[in-house]
C-alpha cells in the first residue's frame, strides 16, 4: 500500500545506510540476520526492522528499513555502533547514516606503513589509526608493510592528514639529525611525495596553476552538472586525471588571459561545490554481471528512457555495471523503476 494510505513515512525516510559491515566472513543470510538483531536491540536504540538489504552493490554496505521513522532518529543518536555476535571473530564498528541525506562514496587505498617502522611500532600505529577512524574498514597488515583501507572519501582524507602529521614529525627529526656531526644519511619518506601529490591543493610558484584532489564520483557529477557554471568566465582551463576513487583536477590559465587570483577563485569554487555535493550525493550500482549482451543493452536503454524524469541523476554506464549518482531519494526511486 502507498505510504500515505497507511499513515507511514515513505520507505527512504525509514531507511538508514550501514557501512563497515565485515565482508566475506559469513554467509550473506547470516550477516543479514546479525544486522537485524543488532538494530532491533533496545541498547542500540533500535526497533522493529522491516527489511535488511545485504549484500548491496557496494562492498561492506547494507540498508536497514525500520517499521517506524522514529527509530531512524533514535538509531542515529547512538554515537558508537559496534557489531557484536559470537559468530564474528571480533567487534566491528559500524557507521550509520541517514539514507536520504548523507553522501555515500567509497574509496579504497593501500597504505605503505613500512616507512614508519624505524620510528614506531607499526601495529600500535595501526591500532591508533583504527581508533581515530572508526568509519573506515582496515584489512590485514601484510608482510611488506602494506594495509588496505576502505571507506568514505572524507574519512580517508582525515586519515591521510593524520599520517602526514606523523610523517612531518619524522621529516623534522631527520633534519635535526642532518644538522648533527657525522649524521646518518637522511631517510627518504614516501609520505613526502604523498604530501606533494595528494594535499588538497598545490599551487605552483607563481600561482598560475592550482591542483585539487576530489572523490571521483563527486567530480563526475560536478563535471556533468556544475563545471560549466563554475568556469563561466572562460579564462581558465581544467584537466583531470583519475586513479580509481580519486581524481586530481588541474586548473590553469587559458592562453594567458586569467590571472593567478582568478585561477585561485575557481579552485575555491570547485572545492566548495565538492563539499556541498558530498552532503547530498550517493552512488548506487546496477550490476550487469551474468547478463547477456542484449540484456545489458536493455538495461542501458531503460536508464536512458528514465533520465528525462530524473534530470538530477547522473547515469554512468560500464560494460559490467551502471553507476547511478545523485540525491539518495532520487536514486532509490530510479533504481526501483529500472
Amino acid at each position: 500500500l502507498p505510504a500515505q494510505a497507511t499513515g507511514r513515512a515513505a520507505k527512504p525516510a525509514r531507511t538508514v545506510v550501514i557501512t563497515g559491515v565485515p565482508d566475506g566472513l559469513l554467509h550473506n543470510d547470516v550477516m543479514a540476520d546479525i544486522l537485524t538483531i543488532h538494530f532491533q536491540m533496545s541498547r542500540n536504540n533500535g526497533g522493529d526492522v522491516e527489511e535488511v538489504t545485504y549484500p548491496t552493490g557496494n562492498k561492506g554496505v547494507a540498508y536497514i528499513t525500520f517499521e517506524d521513522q522514529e527509530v531512524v532518529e533514535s538509531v542515529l543518536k547512538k554515537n558508537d555502533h559496534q557489531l557484536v555476535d559470537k559468530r564474528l571473530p571480533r567487534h566491528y564498528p559500524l557507521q550509520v547514516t541517514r539514507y536520504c541525506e548523507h553522501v555515500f562514496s567509497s574509496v579504497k587505498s593501500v597504505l605503505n606503513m613500512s616507512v614508519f617502522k624505524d620510528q614506531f611500532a607499526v601495529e600500535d600505529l595501526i591500532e591508533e589509526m583504527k581508533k581515530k577512524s572508526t568509519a573506515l574498514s582496515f584489512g590485514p597488515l601484510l608482510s611488506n608493510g602494506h594495509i588496505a583501507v576502505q571507506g568514505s572519501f572524507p574519512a580517508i582524507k582525515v586519515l591521510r592528514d593524520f599520517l602526514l602529521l606523523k610523517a612531518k614529525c619524522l621529516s623534522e627529526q631527520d633534519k635535526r639529525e642532518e644538522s648533527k656531526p657525522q649524521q646518518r644519511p637522511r631517510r627518504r619518506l614516501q609520505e613526502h611525495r604523498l604530501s606533494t601529490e595528494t594535499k588538497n591543493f598545490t599551487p605552483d610558484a607563481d600561482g598560475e596553476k592550482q591542483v585539487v584532489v576530489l572523490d571521483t564520483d563527486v567530480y563526475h557529477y560536478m563535471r556533468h552538472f556544475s563545471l560549466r557554471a563554475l568556469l563561466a568566465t572562460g579564462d581558465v582551463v581544467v584537466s583531470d586525471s583519475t586513479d580509481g576513487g580519486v581524481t586530481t583536477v588541474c586548473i590553469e590559465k587559458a592562453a594567458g588571459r586569467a590571472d593567478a587570483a582568478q585561477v585561485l577563485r575557481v579552485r575555491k569554487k570547485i572545492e566548495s561545490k565538492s563539499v556541498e555535493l558530498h552532503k547530498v550525493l550517493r552512488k548506487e550500482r546496477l550490476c550487469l554481471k551474468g547478463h547477456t549482451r542484449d540484456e545489458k543493452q536493455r538495461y542501458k536503454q531503460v536508464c536512458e528512457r528514465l533520465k528525462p524524469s530524473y534530470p538530477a541523476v547522473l547515469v554512468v554506464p560500464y560494460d559490467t555495471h551502471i553507476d547511478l549518482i545523485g540525491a539518495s531519494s532520487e536514486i532509490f526511486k530510479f533504481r526501483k523503476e529500472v
Side-chain angles (χ1 to χ4, degrees):
L1 291 176
Q4 293 85 348
T6 61
R8 300 170 66 193
K11 190 172 182 179
R14 295 182 286 110
T15 301
V16 292
V17 181
I18 314 300
T19 57
V21 180
D23 184 76
L25 294 180
L26 302 170
H27 191 276
N28 293 334
D29 291 341
V30 176
M31 186 58 68
D33 181 60
I34 292 174
L35 290 168
T36 301
I37 294 171
H38 176 91
F39 287 99
Q40 284 183 335
M41 297 178 70
S42 58
R43 71 181 185 186
N44 295 321
N45 295 356
D48 292 337
V49 172
E50 176 184 298
E51 182 182 17
V52 175
T53 304
Y54 182 82
T56 63
N58 296 288
K59 185 177 179 180
V61 176
Y63 308 143
I64 308 293
T65 301
F66 296 99
E67 295 282 353
D68 299 313
Q69 185 179 1
E70 291 77 11
V71 180
V72 170
E73 306 303 326
S74 178
V75 165
L76 290 171
K77 289 179 181 177
K78 183 176 174 61
N79 294 325
D80 183 28
H81 280 274
Q82 295 283 336
L83 193 61
V84 181
D85 191 277
K86 63 182 180 181
R87 290 166 286 187
L88 295 172
R90 62 177 178 86
H91 298 181
Y92 289 87
L94 301 177
Q95 183 180 22
V96 183
T97 55
R98 196 183 303 276
Y99 183 88
C100 57
E101 291 183 5
H102 197 273
V103 62
F104 178 77
S105 298
S106 183
V107 176
K108 185 175 182 180
S109 179
V110 177
L111 307 178
N112 182 4
M113 303 301 295
S114 64
V115 297
F116 294 105
K117 65 182 181 181
D118 292 339
Q119 299 293 336
F120 297 104
V122 174
E123 292 79 4
D124 293 342
L125 181 58
I126 291 174
E127 287 303 314
E128 185 178 357
M129 289 160 49
K130 290 179 178 179
K131 290 178 182 179
K132 287 182 174 292
S133 306
T134 57
L136 296 175
S137 298
F138 290 81
L141 177 63
L142 303 180
S143 58
N144 60 1
H146 290 189
I147 184 171
V149 183
Q150 184 168 350
S152 70
F153 187 75
I156 291 286
K157 288 175 67 177
V158 170
L159 178 62
R160 179 211 61 190
D161 292 342
F162 167 73
L163 290 175
L164 287 177
L165 283 175
K166 292 286 187 182
K168 183 179 179 181
C169 292
L170 294 184
S171 180
E172 290 174 351
Q173 180 177 336
D174 281 343
K175 289 179 180 179
R176 291 194 296 269
E177 290 290 336
E178 284 182 341
S179 65
K180 296 178 181 179
Q182 299 179 349
Q183 76 273 18
R184 59 180 175 82
R186 184 179 181 184
R187 181 179 65 254
R188 294 177 59 85
L189 292 177
Q190 288 188 358
E191 272 68 12
H192 178 71
R193 176 177 57 82
L194 179 68
S195 66
T196 302
E197 294 178 352
T198 63
K199 58 193 294 190
N200 279 351
F201 65 93
T202 310
D204 61 5
D206 56 10
E208 296 181 355
K209 175 181 177 182
Q210 297 282 339
V211 176
V212 60
V213 181
L214 303 174
D215 174 275
T216 294
D217 295 321
V218 170
Y219 177 67
H220 281 170
Y221 192 91
M222 184 191 306
R223 184 177 61 185
H224 187 82
F225 291 107
S226 311
L227 198 56
R228 181 174 297 179
L230 294 175
L231 305 177
T233 62
D235 292 337
V236 298
V237 292
V238 171
S239 57
D240 58 75
S241 174
T242 296
D243 182 11
V246 176
T247 294
T248 302
V249 181
C250 179
I251 308 108
E252 298 180 88
K253 294 168 61 176
R257 288 180 291 176
D259 57 20
Q262 190 170 358
V263 174
L264 180 61
R265 283 195 296 272
V266 171
R267 189 265 296 172
K268 288 183 176 180
K269 285 182 180 180
I270 291 176
E271 284 187 320
S272 177
K273 189 65 178 180
S274 172
V275 172
E276 176 187 330
L277 291 175
H278 261 293
K279 295 177 181 178
V280 297
L281 291 182
R282 66 167 286 109
K283 179 176 74 173
E284 188 63 81
R285 178 163 292 177
L286 298 173
C287 183
L288 301 181
K289 290 182 178 179
H291 290 284
T292 66
R293 182 176 179 179
D294 289 343
E295 289 171 340
K296 291 179 180 179
Q297 187 61 31
R298 179 162 174 77
Y299 266 99
K300 294 175 182 178
Q301 290 172 348
V302 169
C303 287
E304 286 297 317
R305 287 203 298 268
L306 286 175
K307 282 169 66 174
S309 300
Y310 297 89
V313 172
L314 177 62
V315 179
V316 187
Y318 298 93
D319 184 55
T320 58
H321 62 274
I322 300 173
D323 282 343
L324 309 174
I325 305 173
S328 60
S329 57
E330 293 291 291
I331 297 296
F332 188 88
K333 291 184 287 186
F334 192 104
R335 181 187 176 99
K336 185 177 180 180
E337 286 201 44
V338 173

